[in-house]
């Protein structure tokens, strides 16, 4: 008792404080963990004035990375913000949103998905709200609808139920058939839908003010490319894209930005090696399993996560090239 008085606390005051703390503990137990603390802002780099990119790690989806294993970014205009890809879970999207809010109070008007894969779209759930328009390739609604259940179950398995809480598939409000321009206020962004390449849902975003081109997974650097479309279509599109000028490009996986068109070379080289090896296997009467084991193997030293993706790439290429 004397100790309480010595520290300026009357006994009744101690009782009130103790009761208050007990109530706080009880209330904390009743509030979901996600509501108790704001997410830490995601680390981003400003690759050009008003253009920010999160460089994702070369990794598979894990609890520690919340499924944020693909690059994502945002562009700030005079009046509004556009987000380009959102990570692989709602929690990942919340961290990206916190990074945006650390830099601007302008409204987030657009969320643009560069393609259908879960590491690029499942953070969309964090951005749902009044005034936000979700945009994607014209094939994206059908592709996401067909894969929603498998994407969500895989995400929960890979990053755990706690990290995956609240994650859901958000279908686009608007789609792009060929080319469309949106304006953030003296900040036009050119959205372009492409033929089947990495996937059948590839969309690029070009910031006309800075010449920054978000290529999504049409470009990989460091992380081995993942083929979920047509290898020959991908090679042709890269050849077409190289003829266009850009101050810098943002790959779907790799550094936050890279020079163009030099950055296209590694992805092109890998795809051409894969195609050549699969064609040789087919010509020799080899099986799909043989192609999966051998095709593209010479490229292994140059790529992260090679063994996690290459066999599937070879299988996909075999389906494409078997009856040429």
């Amino acid at each position: 008792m004397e100790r309480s008085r010595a520290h300026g606390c009357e006994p009744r005051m101690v009782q009130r404080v103790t009761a208050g703390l007990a109530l706080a503990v009880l209330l904390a137990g009743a509030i979901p963990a996600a509501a108790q603390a704001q997410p830490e802002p995601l680390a981003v780099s400003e690759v050009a004035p008003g253009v920010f990119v999160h460089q994702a790690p070369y990794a598979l989806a894990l609890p520690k990375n919340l499924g944020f294993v693909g690059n994502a970014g945002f562009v700030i205009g005079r009046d509004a913000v556009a987000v380009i890809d959102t990570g692989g879970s709602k929690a990942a999207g919340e961290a990206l949103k916190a990074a945006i809010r650390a830099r601007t109070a302008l409204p987030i008007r657009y969320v643009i998905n560069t393609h259908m894969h879960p590491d690029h779209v499942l953070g969309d759930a964090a951005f749902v709200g009044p005034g936000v328009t979700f945009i994607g390739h014209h094939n994206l609604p059908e592709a996401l609808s067909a894969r929603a259940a498998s994407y969500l179950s895989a995400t929960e398995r890979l990053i755990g139920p706690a990290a995956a809480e609240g994650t859901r598939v958000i279908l686009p409000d608007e789609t792009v058939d060929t080319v469309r321009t949106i304006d953030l206020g003296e900040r036009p962004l050119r959205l372009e839908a492409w033929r089947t390449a990495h996937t059948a849902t590839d969309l690029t975003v070009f910031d006309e003010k800075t010449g920054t081109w978000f290529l999504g997974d049409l470009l990989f650097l460091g992380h081995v490319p993942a083929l979920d479309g047509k290898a020959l279509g991908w090679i042709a599109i890269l050849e077409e894209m190289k003829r266009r000028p850009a101050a810098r490009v943002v790959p779907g996986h790799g550094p936050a930005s890279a020079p163009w068109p030099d950055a296209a070379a590694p992805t092109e080289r890998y795809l051409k090696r894969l195609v050549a090896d699969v064609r040789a296997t087919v010509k020799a009467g080899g099986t799909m399993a043989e192609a999966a084991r051998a095709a593209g193997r010479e490229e292994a030293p140059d790529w992260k996560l090679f063994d996690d993706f290459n066999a599937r790439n070879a299988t996909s290429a075999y389906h494409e090239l078997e009856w040429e």
Side-chain angles (χ1 to χ4, degrees):
M1 190 74 67
E2 293 302 320
R3 186 175 302 169
S4 296
R5 288 197 179 103
H7 285 82
C9 294
E10 294 296 329
R12 196 169 298 169
M13 181 73 72
V14 173
Q15 291 174 0
R16 291 197 191 109
V17 171
T18 303
L21 288 173
L23 179 60
V25 170
L26 287 171
L27 287 174
I31 299 172
Q36 292 181 39
Q38 294 299 314
E40 285 292 321
L42 201 65
V44 295
S45 302
E46 190 168 13
V47 301
V51 181
F52 296 84
V53 176
H54 170 64
Q55 180 180 334
Y58 296 128
L60 301 176
L62 298 167
K64 66 180 181 181
N65 59 40
L66 302 175
F68 218 137
V69 293
N71 292 351
F74 55 94
V75 180
I76 302 174
R78 182 196 61 204
D79 303 325
V81 179
V83 184
I84 302 163
D85 289 338
T86 57
S89 67
K90 183 182 180 184
E94 293 286 1
L96 178 59
K97 186 163 67 173
I100 297 170
R101 286 292 160 250
R103 286 158 180 83
T104 180
L106 288 172
I108 297 168
R109 187 169 295 163
Y110 300 102
V111 173
I112 305 162
N113 292 131
T114 62
H115 63 290
M116 65 186 179
H117 284 154
D119 54 324
H120 295 261
V121 304
L122 289 186
D124 286 10
F127 294 90
V128 173
V132 181
T133 299
F134 292 80
I135 304 178
H137 190 285
H138 61 89
N139 288 334
L140 188 61
E142 181 180 358
L144 282 181
S145 296
R147 294 163 175 78
S150 62
Y151 280 179
L152 294 174
S153 63
T155 296
E156 184 169 322
R157 184 180 72 253
L158 292 169
I159 71 174
E165 185 178 358
T167 301
R168 58 193 176 99
V169 170
I170 307 298
L171 298 181
D173 301 305
E174 299 174 5
T175 61
V176 180
D177 289 325
T178 52
V179 178
R180 174 186 173 185
T181 298
I182 60 175
D183 193 355
L184 305 177
E186 298 179 357
R187 198 92 196 215
L189 302 181
R190 175 185 168 95
L191 282 52
E192 188 165 3
W194 294 88
R195 307 179 303 279
T196 301
H198 165 62
T199 70
T201 61
D202 297 316
L203 183 79
T204 59
V205 182
F206 184 73
D207 173 36
E208 295 183 5
K209 187 170 184 177
T210 65
T212 304
W213 203 3
F214 286 80
L215 299 187
D217 280 7
L218 286 172
L219 184 68
F220 283 74
L221 289 168
H223 181 307
V224 70
L227 178 62
D228 195 9
K230 293 184 178 180
L232 295 180
W234 196 345
I235 292 168
I237 283 172
L238 283 173
E239 191 62 41
E240 180 181 341
M241 295 172 82
K242 285 192 303 180
R243 295 193 288 269
R244 301 191 187 181
R248 67 195 59 79
V249 291
V250 178
H253 297 265
S257 67
W260 188 252
D262 296 353
T267 300
E268 274 193 304
R269 188 192 68 241
Y270 171 81
L271 292 170
K272 288 178 177 178
R273 177 77 270 160
L274 186 72
V275 167
D277 288 353
V278 170
R279 278 175 168 161
T281 300
V282 171
K283 185 175 181 180
T287 65
M288 185 184 301
E290 289 171 330
R293 284 193 298 270
R297 183 56 53 180
E298 290 180 14
E299 287 283 314
D302 297 327
W303 298 99
K304 303 290 186 183
L305 303 176
F306 184 87
D307 289 333
D308 295 291
F309 291 92
N310 186 69
R312 280 184 284 175
N313 291 344
T315 299
S316 181
Y318 191 97
H319 281 295
E320 178 184 352
L321 301 169
E322 184 179 11
W323 303 109
E324 319 186 88

Short mmCIF file of all heavy atoms in Angstrom, two decimals, residues 257-293:
data_model
loop_
_atom_site.label_atom_id
_atom_site.label_comp_id
_atom_site.label_asym_id
_atom_site.label_seq_id
_atom_site.Cartn_x
_atom_site.Cartn_y
_atom_site.Cartn_z
N SER A 257 12.72 -2.78 -61.70
CA SER A 257 12.65 -2.27 -63.07
C SER A 257 13.91 -2.71 -63.81
O SER A 257 14.90 -3.11 -63.18
CB SER A 257 12.52 -0.75 -63.11
OG SER A 257 13.69 -0.12 -62.63
N ALA A 258 13.84 -2.62 -65.14
CA ALA A 258 14.96 -3.06 -65.96
C ALA A 258 14.93 -2.29 -67.28
O ALA A 258 13.88 -1.80 -67.70
CB ALA A 258 14.88 -4.56 -66.22
N PRO A 259 16.08 -2.18 -67.96
CA PRO A 259 16.12 -1.46 -69.24
C PRO A 259 15.46 -2.27 -70.35
O PRO A 259 15.50 -3.51 -70.34
CB PRO A 259 17.62 -1.28 -69.49
CG PRO A 259 18.27 -2.39 -68.73
CD PRO A 259 17.42 -2.63 -67.53
N TRP A 260 14.90 -1.56 -71.29
CA TRP A 260 14.18 -2.18 -72.40
C TRP A 260 14.80 -1.73 -73.72
O TRP A 260 15.20 -0.58 -73.83
CB TRP A 260 12.71 -1.78 -72.36
CG TRP A 260 11.84 -2.51 -73.34
CD1 TRP A 260 11.27 -2.01 -74.47
CD2 TRP A 260 11.43 -3.88 -73.26
NE1 TRP A 260 10.52 -2.97 -75.10
CE2 TRP A 260 10.61 -4.13 -74.38
CE3 TRP A 260 11.69 -4.92 -72.37
CZ2 TRP A 260 10.04 -5.38 -74.63
CZ3 TRP A 260 11.12 -6.14 -72.61
CH2 TRP A 260 10.31 -6.37 -73.73
N PRO A 261 14.99 -2.64 -74.70
CA PRO A 261 14.47 -4.02 -74.78
C PRO A 261 15.42 -5.09 -74.27
O PRO A 261 15.14 -6.29 -74.39
CB PRO A 261 14.25 -4.19 -76.28
CG PRO A 261 15.34 -3.38 -76.90
CD PRO A 261 15.54 -2.19 -76.00
N ASP A 262 16.58 -4.68 -73.71
CA ASP A 262 17.57 -5.68 -73.28
C ASP A 262 16.99 -6.70 -72.31
O ASP A 262 17.39 -7.87 -72.30
CB ASP A 262 18.76 -4.98 -72.62
CG ASP A 262 19.52 -4.09 -73.57
OD1 ASP A 262 19.21 -4.11 -74.78
OD2 ASP A 262 20.42 -3.35 -73.12
N ALA A 263 16.02 -6.27 -71.48
CA ALA A 263 15.47 -7.15 -70.46
C ALA A 263 14.73 -8.35 -71.04
O ALA A 263 14.52 -9.35 -70.34
CB ALA A 263 14.54 -6.36 -69.55
N ALA A 264 14.35 -8.27 -72.31
CA ALA A 264 13.61 -9.38 -72.92
C ALA A 264 14.47 -10.59 -73.21
O ALA A 264 13.96 -11.72 -73.33
CB ALA A 264 12.95 -8.91 -74.23
N ALA A 265 15.79 -10.41 -73.31
CA ALA A 265 16.67 -11.46 -73.80
C ALA A 265 16.61 -12.77 -72.98
O ALA A 265 16.50 -13.85 -73.57
CB ALA A 265 18.10 -10.94 -73.89
N PRO A 266 16.68 -12.73 -71.64
CA PRO A 266 16.66 -14.00 -70.90
C PRO A 266 15.39 -14.81 -71.09
O PRO A 266 15.44 -16.04 -71.27
CB PRO A 266 16.84 -13.56 -69.44
CG PRO A 266 17.53 -12.24 -69.53
CD PRO A 266 16.95 -11.59 -70.74
N THR A 267 14.23 -14.16 -71.04
CA THR A 267 12.97 -14.88 -71.23
C THR A 267 12.90 -15.48 -72.63
O THR A 267 12.50 -16.63 -72.81
CB THR A 267 11.76 -13.96 -70.98
OG1 THR A 267 11.81 -13.46 -69.64
CG2 THR A 267 10.45 -14.69 -71.20
N GLU A 268 13.29 -14.69 -73.62
CA GLU A 268 13.31 -15.19 -75.00
C GLU A 268 14.21 -16.40 -75.14
O GLU A 268 13.84 -17.39 -75.77
CB GLU A 268 13.82 -14.09 -75.94
CG GLU A 268 12.78 -13.14 -76.45
CD GLU A 268 13.32 -12.31 -77.59
OE1 GLU A 268 14.36 -11.66 -77.41
OE2 GLU A 268 12.71 -12.32 -78.67
N ARG A 269 15.40 -16.29 -74.58
CA ARG A 269 16.37 -17.39 -74.69
C ARG A 269 15.82 -18.68 -74.08
O ARG A 269 15.90 -19.76 -74.67
CB ARG A 269 17.67 -17.00 -74.01
CG ARG A 269 18.82 -18.00 -74.23
CD ARG A 269 19.99 -17.72 -73.30
NE ARG A 269 19.63 -18.00 -71.91
CZ ARG A 269 19.64 -17.09 -70.95
NH1 ARG A 269 19.97 -15.83 -71.20
NH2 ARG A 269 19.30 -17.44 -69.71
N TYR A 270 15.24 -18.55 -72.89
CA TYR A 270 14.69 -19.73 -72.23
C TYR A 270 13.58 -20.36 -73.06
O TYR A 270 13.55 -21.59 -73.27
CB TYR A 270 14.15 -19.36 -70.84
CG TYR A 270 13.38 -20.49 -70.20
CD1 TYR A 270 14.04 -21.53 -69.55
CD2 TYR A 270 11.99 -20.55 -70.30
CE1 TYR A 270 13.34 -22.59 -68.99
CE2 TYR A 270 11.28 -21.60 -69.74
CZ TYR A 270 11.96 -22.62 -69.09
OH TYR A 270 11.27 -23.67 -68.56
N LEU A 271 12.64 -19.55 -73.54
CA LEU A 271 11.51 -20.09 -74.30
C LEU A 271 11.97 -20.75 -75.59
O LEU A 271 11.46 -21.82 -75.98
CB LEU A 271 10.51 -18.98 -74.60
CG LEU A 271 9.75 -18.41 -73.39
CD1 LEU A 271 8.98 -17.16 -73.79
CD2 LEU A 271 8.82 -19.46 -72.79
N LYS A 272 12.93 -20.15 -76.27
CA LYS A 272 13.42 -20.74 -77.52
C LYS A 272 14.15 -22.06 -77.25
O LYS A 272 14.03 -23.01 -78.03
CB LYS A 272 14.33 -19.75 -78.23
CG LYS A 272 13.57 -18.57 -78.84
CD LYS A 272 14.48 -17.58 -79.52
CE LYS A 272 13.68 -16.45 -80.17
NZ LYS A 272 14.57 -15.43 -80.81
N ARG A 273 14.89 -22.13 -76.16
CA ARG A 273 15.57 -23.38 -75.78
C ARG A 273 14.53 -24.46 -75.47
O ARG A 273 14.66 -25.62 -75.88
CB ARG A 273 16.45 -23.13 -74.57
CG ARG A 273 17.17 -24.34 -74.00
CD ARG A 273 18.37 -24.70 -74.87
NE ARG A 273 18.00 -25.65 -75.93
CZ ARG A 273 18.71 -25.85 -77.02
NH1 ARG A 273 19.80 -25.12 -77.25
NH2 ARG A 273 18.34 -26.73 -77.91
N LEU A 274 13.50 -24.08 -74.73
CA LEU A 274 12.45 -25.02 -74.38
C LEU A 274 11.77 -25.56 -75.63
O LEU A 274 11.57 -26.78 -75.77
CB LEU A 274 11.42 -24.33 -73.48
CG LEU A 274 10.32 -25.20 -72.88
CD1 LEU A 274 10.87 -26.10 -71.79
CD2 LEU A 274 9.20 -24.32 -72.31
N VAL A 275 11.40 -24.67 -76.54
CA VAL A 275 10.74 -25.08 -77.78
C VAL A 275 11.64 -26.00 -78.60
O VAL A 275 11.19 -27.05 -79.11
CB VAL A 275 10.32 -23.85 -78.60
CG1 VAL A 275 9.93 -24.24 -80.03
CG2 VAL A 275 9.16 -23.14 -77.92
N ALA A 276 12.90 -25.64 -78.76
CA ALA A 276 13.83 -26.46 -79.55
C ALA A 276 13.97 -27.86 -78.95
O ALA A 276 13.97 -28.86 -79.68
CB ALA A 276 15.18 -25.77 -79.63
N ASP A 277 14.08 -27.94 -77.64
CA ASP A 277 14.25 -29.24 -76.98
C ASP A 277 13.00 -30.09 -77.08
O ASP A 277 13.07 -31.32 -77.31
CB ASP A 277 14.63 -29.04 -75.51
CG ASP A 277 16.05 -28.52 -75.33
OD1 ASP A 277 16.79 -28.44 -76.33
OD2 ASP A 277 16.40 -28.18 -74.19
N VAL A 278 11.83 -29.47 -76.92
CA VAL A 278 10.59 -30.23 -77.03
C VAL A 278 10.38 -30.72 -78.45
O VAL A 278 9.98 -31.87 -78.68
CB VAL A 278 9.39 -29.40 -76.54
CG1 VAL A 278 8.08 -30.08 -76.88
CG2 VAL A 278 9.48 -29.16 -75.03
N ARG A 279 10.66 -29.88 -79.42
CA ARG A 279 10.54 -30.30 -80.81
C ARG A 279 11.46 -31.48 -81.11
O ARG A 279 11.08 -32.42 -81.82
CB ARG A 279 10.87 -29.12 -81.74
CG ARG A 279 9.70 -28.16 -81.94
CD ARG A 279 10.11 -26.96 -82.77
NE ARG A 279 8.95 -26.19 -83.21
CZ ARG A 279 8.99 -24.94 -83.62
NH1 ARG A 279 10.17 -24.28 -83.64
NH2 ARG A 279 7.90 -24.31 -83.99
N ALA A 280 12.68 -31.45 -80.58
CA ALA A 280 13.62 -32.55 -80.79
C ALA A 280 13.08 -33.84 -80.17
O ALA A 280 13.20 -34.93 -80.76
CB ALA A 280 14.97 -32.19 -80.21
N THR A 281 12.47 -33.72 -79.00
CA THR A 281 11.89 -34.89 -78.34
C THR A 281 10.75 -35.47 -79.16
O THR A 281 10.65 -36.69 -79.36
CB THR A 281 11.40 -34.53 -76.93
OG1 THR A 281 12.50 -34.06 -76.15
CG2 THR A 281 10.78 -35.74 -76.24
N VAL A 282 9.87 -34.60 -79.65
CA VAL A 282 8.74 -35.04 -80.47
C VAL A 282 9.23 -35.71 -81.75
O VAL A 282 8.74 -36.78 -82.15
CB VAL A 282 7.81 -33.85 -80.79
CG1 VAL A 282 6.76 -34.25 -81.83
CG2 VAL A 282 7.14 -33.33 -79.53
N LYS A 283 10.20 -35.10 -82.40
CA LYS A 283 10.73 -35.64 -83.65
C LYS A 283 11.34 -37.02 -83.45
O LYS A 283 11.25 -37.90 -84.32
CB LYS A 283 11.78 -34.68 -84.23
CG LYS A 283 12.31 -35.09 -85.59
CD LYS A 283 13.25 -34.04 -86.15
CE LYS A 283 13.77 -34.45 -87.53
NZ LYS A 283 14.70 -33.42 -88.08
N ALA A 284 11.94 -37.22 -82.29
CA ALA A 284 12.58 -38.51 -82.00
C ALA A 284 11.58 -39.54 -81.47
O ALA A 284 11.97 -40.67 -81.15
CB ALA A 284 13.69 -38.31 -80.98
N GLY A 285 10.31 -39.17 -81.40
CA GLY A 285 9.30 -40.09 -80.89
C GLY A 285 9.28 -40.19 -79.39
O GLY A 285 8.72 -41.14 -78.83
N GLY A 286 9.86 -39.22 -78.72
CA GLY A 286 9.92 -39.24 -77.27
C GLY A 286 8.58 -38.91 -76.64
O GLY A 286 7.69 -38.33 -77.26
N THR A 287 8.45 -39.27 -75.39
CA THR A 287 7.20 -39.06 -74.66
C THR A 287 7.18 -37.71 -73.96
O THR A 287 8.20 -37.03 -73.82
CB THR A 287 7.01 -40.15 -73.61
OG1 THR A 287 8.06 -40.02 -72.63
CG2 THR A 287 7.08 -41.54 -74.24
N MET A 288 6.00 -37.36 -73.47
CA MET A 288 5.85 -36.14 -72.69
C MET A 288 6.71 -36.20 -71.43
O MET A 288 7.32 -35.20 -71.03
CB MET A 288 4.38 -35.94 -72.33
CG MET A 288 4.10 -34.63 -71.63
SD MET A 288 2.37 -34.50 -71.13
CE MET A 288 1.55 -34.68 -72.71
N ALA A 289 6.77 -37.37 -70.80
CA ALA A 289 7.57 -37.53 -69.59
C ALA A 289 9.05 -37.30 -69.89
O ALA A 289 9.78 -36.70 -69.08
CB ALA A 289 7.37 -38.91 -68.99
N GLU A 290 9.50 -37.75 -71.05
CA GLU A 290 10.89 -37.52 -71.42
C GLU A 290 11.16 -36.03 -71.65
O GLU A 290 12.22 -35.51 -71.26
CB GLU A 290 11.23 -38.33 -72.68
CG GLU A 290 11.30 -39.83 -72.42
CD GLU A 290 11.42 -40.65 -73.69
OE1 GLU A 290 10.91 -40.20 -74.74
OE2 GLU A 290 12.03 -41.73 -73.64
N ALA A 291 10.22 -35.37 -72.28
CA ALA A 291 10.37 -33.94 -72.49
C ALA A 291 10.42 -33.20 -71.14
O ALA A 291 11.22 -32.28 -70.95
CB ALA A 291 9.22 -33.40 -73.33
N ALA A 292 9.55 -33.60 -70.21
CA ALA A 292 9.52 -32.95 -68.90
C ALA A 292 10.84 -33.10 -68.16
O ALA A 292 11.26 -32.20 -67.43
CB ALA A 292 8.38 -33.53 -68.06
N ARG A 293 11.51 -34.24 -68.35
CA ARG A 293 12.79 -34.47 -67.67
C ARG A 293 13.94 -33.70 -68.31
O ARG A 293 14.85 -33.24 -67.61
CB ARG A 293 13.13 -35.97 -67.67
CG ARG A 293 12.34 -36.79 -66.68
CD ARG A 293 12.95 -38.16 -66.51
NE ARG A 293 12.95 -38.92 -67.76
CZ ARG A 293 11.96 -39.71 -68.17
NH1 ARG A 293 10.87 -39.83 -67.43
NH2 ARG A 293 12.04 -40.36 -69.31
#
